[in-house]
Amino acid sequence: MAERHRVVVVGGGFGGLNVTRALDRADVDVTLVDRSNHHLFQPLLYQVATGILPPGLIAPALRSVTKRERNARVLLADVQDLDLDGRVVRARAPDGRLLELPYDSLVVAAGATHSYFGKNEFAEYAPGMKTIEDARYLRDGILAKFEMAEIATDPAERAEWLTFVVVGAGPTGVELAGQIAELAHTVLPRDYRSVDTHQARIILLEGAGTVLPPFPPKLQAYTQKRLEQMGVEVRVNTLAVDMDHQSITVKGPDGLETIRTGTRIWAAGVQASSLARLLAEKVGVRADRAGRIPVGPDCTVPGHPEVFAIGDMVSLDKLPGVAQPAIQEGKYVGRVIKDRLAGRQTPPFEYFDKGTMATIGYRSAVADAFGVKVTGFPAYVMWIFIHVLYLVGWGNRLGTLYTWARALWLTHNRGNLIISFQAAREDLTEGHTPAGRAPTILPRNTSAPIPDAEETIPGAPREAGSTG
């Protein structure tokens, strides 16, 4: 009996998960390898950071998500090297052992991380938000500042604790700034006795001339006006040029200014996973400024038709680094692999643009979909419908709707505003890096030599009754 076609998928995000699902019941063995054991719905990550949603509703375990796909299995490991000539993925297990994952088709969907535009030292002072750990860390940090404001007796010190600076006014920055404003001005005022949380100062910085730069002007103007009504200071044409644990220095139209603040959040840019540059080096092409690798119209890398790259780490037809391209590319690549095994040709990938949207705060959002530009409550309803639709699992969808109804619409009280003394101490003391969280969110060193793998992982077991 011949061995079945082996597919290794690197990354359990939107792209990798949709490849795996598209290959359900196909005559292949799929190995999905990821550094986390869960699929993360990143568009709602900011709601974990601001205490609205618990992590489990937006991060279902990959094994649970793929449990009905009998030809797929999941490995928790960190990919270290891609041997394209030997058709082997080398990865490191949590205990340090090195694994070899042989493949016939490889799909790299490793996503993206933060970009500090050459100032990587900012990562120590202004954490970004790409993982559940990042969101928990930000939530602990935000809550710790309100706790310290309650303790502080000096007005200047209290003002510093209550100053929150978000760098970058794309969708993530807008959503974060809006939710911190609602937290301070609507949710927390009745919870504190010595401090008036209405005094919290939320500053949103954007280097471009407007918030939400990719959006149409009508939506940009509405977003800025709504944020300002919520008490957010919006500063456009303003760049972060320096920072430390107590302040941030910005350069705007009026020159340099140093803002004393205990909280700086980075939402200004992204760069492709370091695996994108590694893959580009392997195939002899140049990654773009954001570290993305160019791919062909069938999502394959140059010179290796058996290797696919998809999602935020690729450059294809100038598609944005959002969920929809990754979802559609994942489904497409699954179709390509099945068509090849059946001897069929697959037309080039075509992206169907379903539009963009962002929420600003309670009952307000903006949406640009199917040629229609919507603001306010109608856009908010659209935003709710789309985001619930793309959550994985009906349990998570219903749980999210219930939590939203309780936290945002009925009681205006959030059930996930918990913090411990230890978490606050680790955020506030020198080092500012809790144990268990990476000291910085920077690309790993892929130039170091990778030793020979200690263990070869064979293909996943066949389904009962299947033949090669």
Side-chain angles (χ1 to χ4, degrees):
M1 217 164 23
E3 188 174 88
R4 293 211 297 185
H5 190 89
R6 299 163 299 182
V7 180
V8 173
V9 179
V10 179
F14 288 111
L17 182 59
N18 276 278
V19 172
T20 305
R21 285 178 154 181
L23 292 173
D24 184 27
R25 301 184 183 278
D27 192 25
V28 299
D29 290 324
V30 181
T31 298
L32 174 60
V33 56
D34 197 293
R35 300 173 68 187
S36 301
N37 77 333
H38 54 268
H39 165 74
L40 178 60
F41 189 77
Q42 282 193 359
L44 291 179
L45 198 56
Y46 77 96
Q47 296 204 358
V48 174
T50 52
I52 300 174
L53 293 177
L57 289 179
I58 68 166
L62 284 169
R63 295 186 185 280
S64 175
V65 174
T66 61
K67 64 185 177 183
R68 297 185 183 275
E69 296 162 21
R70 301 295 298 275
N71 64 336
R73 51 101 180 253
V74 176
L75 294 180
L76 179 65
D78 183 18
V79 172
Q80 303 285 306
D81 189 35
L82 306 172
D83 182 355
L84 303 189
D85 294 328
R87 297 194 177 187
V88 172
V89 173
R90 294 191 176 93
R92 191 181 300 276
D95 65 353
R97 77 182 67 188
L98 289 162
L99 311 175
E100 285 194 343
L101 309 174
Y103 66 84
D104 299 301
S105 293
L106 170 64
V107 184
V108 186
T113 186
H114 314 100
S115 172
Y116 289 89
F117 306 112
K119 293 184 177 292
N120 290 338
E121 64 274 14
F122 285 1
E124 180 180 353
Y125 312 116
M129 191 178 59
K130 286 294 181 184
T131 67
I132 283 292
E133 289 77 15
D134 294 340
R136 287 170 173 163
Y137 176 69
L138 286 176
R139 183 191 63 190
D140 290 350
I142 292 168
L143 294 176
K145 305 315 186 303
F146 285 105
E147 296 297 333
M148 291 306 300
E150 178 79 357
I151 294 172
T153 56
D154 178 61
E157 179 190 357
R158 178 174 289 174
E160 290 182 19
W161 292 127
L162 291 179
T163 299
F164 302 86
V165 179
V166 179
V167 183
T172 298
V174 165
E175 290 166 343
L176 266 172
Q179 285 305 321
I180 295 174
E182 288 197 349
L183 190 66
H185 301 155
T186 304
V187 178
L188 296 180
R190 291 176 296 176
D191 294 353
Y192 289 84
R193 299 296 178 264
S194 300
V195 61
D196 180 5
T197 63
H198 286 102
Q199 297 175 353
R201 185 183 181 196
I202 299 94
I203 303 172
L204 180 61
L205 307 177
E206 173 56 49
T210 179
V211 300
L212 297 179
F215 283 58
K218 173 186 175 181
L219 305 187
Q220 294 170 344
Y222 174 84
T223 300
Q224 181 163 342
K225 179 180 179 181
R226 183 72 186 102
L227 285 170
E228 291 171 345
Q229 290 172 343
M230 296 170 64
V232 178
E233 296 180 33
V234 179
R235 299 193 183 187
V236 297
N237 296 312
T238 303
L239 299 172
V241 296
D242 197 11
M243 62 182 72
D244 56 28
H245 287 303
Q246 288 79 37
S247 67
I248 181 171
T249 300
V250 301
K251 183 178 182 181
D254 298 327
L256 293 176
E257 178 188 359
T258 297
I259 303 170
R260 300 288 298 180
T261 173
T263 305
R264 298 146 304 277
I265 302 173
W266 192 266
V270 297
Q271 64 182 358
S273 162
S274 57
L275 287 180
R277 289 193 184 276
L278 175 64
L279 186 57
E281 293 172 1
K282 295 283 186 178
V283 300
V285 298
R286 177 174 297 191
D288 65 12
R289 292 180 61 185
R292 298 174 300 185
I293 181 174
V295 296
D298 59 353
C299 296
T300 59
V301 301
H304 288 270
E306 78 284 358
V307 180
F308 302 85
I310 59 175
D312 295 350
M313 61 174 281
V314 307
S315 173
L316 175 63
D317 296 335
K318 299 181 179 180
L319 294 178
V322 294
Q324 270 303 315
I327 292 172
Q328 295 181 34
E329 288 164 4
K331 294 177 180 179
Y332 172 81
V333 167
R335 176 187 171 190
V336 171
I337 293 173
K338 290 190 291 186
D339 284 350
R340 286 181 180 179
L341 294 176
R344 298 188 296 264
Q345 293 291 324
T346 311
F349 173 74
E350 291 187 10
Y351 175 61
F352 178 63
D353 189 357
K354 296 183 179 181
T356 55
M357 56 182 59
T359 183
I360 306 166
Y362 178 57
R363 297 170 63 90
S364 60
V366 291
D368 180 13
F370 308 109
V372 179
K373 299 169 180 60
V374 186
T375 62
F377 184 69
Y380 187 64
V381 173
M382 292 173 60
W383 180 89
I384 289 173
F385 175 78
I386 293 297
H387 283 70
V388 169
L389 179 66
Y390 282 104
L391 281 170
V392 175
W394 278 105
N396 287 339
R397 293 169 188 154
L398 294 175
T400 297
L401 283 173
Y402 168 78
T403 304
W404 280 347
R406 177 176 178 269
L408 300 177
W409 309 325
L410 300 178
T411 66
H412 294 286
N413 185 26
R414 303 181 183 185
N416 298 283
L417 300 177
I418 56 174
I419 187 174
S420 67
F421 171 83
Q422 181 69 15
R425 188 185 68 82
E426 289 172 338
D427 179 79
L428 297 169
T429 55
E430 191 62 33
H432 302 256
T433 303
R437 178 180 181 270
T440 56
I441 310 170
L442 303 175
R444 69 170 72 87
N445 179 13
T446 57
S447 61
I450 303 299
D452 293 336
E454 298 176 354
E455 185 171 348
T456 299
I457 305 296
R462 296 187 180 91
E463 292 186 64
S466 66
T467 59

